[in-house]
Amino acid sequence: DNEWDMLQQEKIGNDQLLGKEWILKSFIDEGESIILQPNSKITIQFDKDEMTGSGGCNRYFGSYEIKNINNISIGQLAWTEMACPDIMEQEMKYLTAIQKISTIQVTENKLVLSSSDGQTVLEFD
């Protein structure tokens, strides 16, 4: 029926999400916009049951699960431990923020991750 078709269209499409490297364009931490360090590239990539990426210096990885239409649950993250003095504070804020994400929206060219209160936290292109 039409209701089922509409729900399927709203559900995250694997072809839009999986296997693509998304690059962080904006980051809001506790209501404050974070100015991204110019010498860092923060990324995220989703595979079938694991997400990986770069926090700007270190690589991180962890499990995730998409439930219902747009709800995402991110498991415990692990990351490498290289030292990058200019980037470490930004990277730790990012790694903390990503674990608070509960909603995911994706289109062909934009990934938006939001907190449980509906506030956009991370936007990727």
Side-chain angles (χ1 to χ4, degrees):
D1 67 0
N2 279 341
E3 184 176 352
W4 186 85
D5 291 339
M6 290 175 65
L7 286 173
Q8 287 303 99
Q9 289 172 4
E10 290 178 28
K11 191 168 182 165
I12 301 290
N14 284 346
D15 57 334
Q16 293 175 321
L17 180 67
L18 299 183
K20 179 176 181 178
E21 181 181 63
W22 298 91
I23 300 169
L24 185 66
K25 295 300 176 190
S26 76
F27 176 14
I28 298 172
D29 182 42
E30 297 181 13
E32 181 180 330
S33 183
I34 303 297
I35 305 295
L36 299 175
Q37 297 289 332
N39 56 342
S40 68
K41 179 180 171 187
I42 298 176
T43 65
I44 192 168
Q45 183 171 340
F46 294 89
D47 293 319
K48 187 176 177 185
D49 54 7
E50 181 180 56
M51 61 177 217
T52 60
S54 171
C57 176
N58 290 286
R59 300 287 306 158
Y60 67 90
F61 51 94
S63 63
Y64 76 96
E65 181 181 0
I66 295 176
K67 304 173 187 175
N68 300 326
I69 295 173
N70 292 56
N71 295 335
I72 186 169
S73 173
I74 296 176
Q76 187 71 25
L77 295 180
W79 53 85
T80 58
E81 295 185 8
M82 297 185 301
C84 302
D86 297 341
I87 301 171
M88 296 303 290
E89 183 179 344
Q90 172 184 283
E91 184 172 69
M92 290 314 298
K93 283 183 180 183
Y94 170 77
L95 292 171
T96 300
I98 201 164
Q99 292 184 314
K100 296 177 184 175
I101 296 302
S102 64
T103 305
I104 182 171
Q105 295 175 318
V106 65
T107 62
E108 284 182 33
N109 56 6
K110 186 170 286 222
L111 171 67
V112 178
L113 301 176
S114 305
S115 58
S116 60
D117 62 3
Q119 298 296 312
T120 296
V121 177
L122 303 164
E123 283 190 30
F124 298 81
D125 286 343

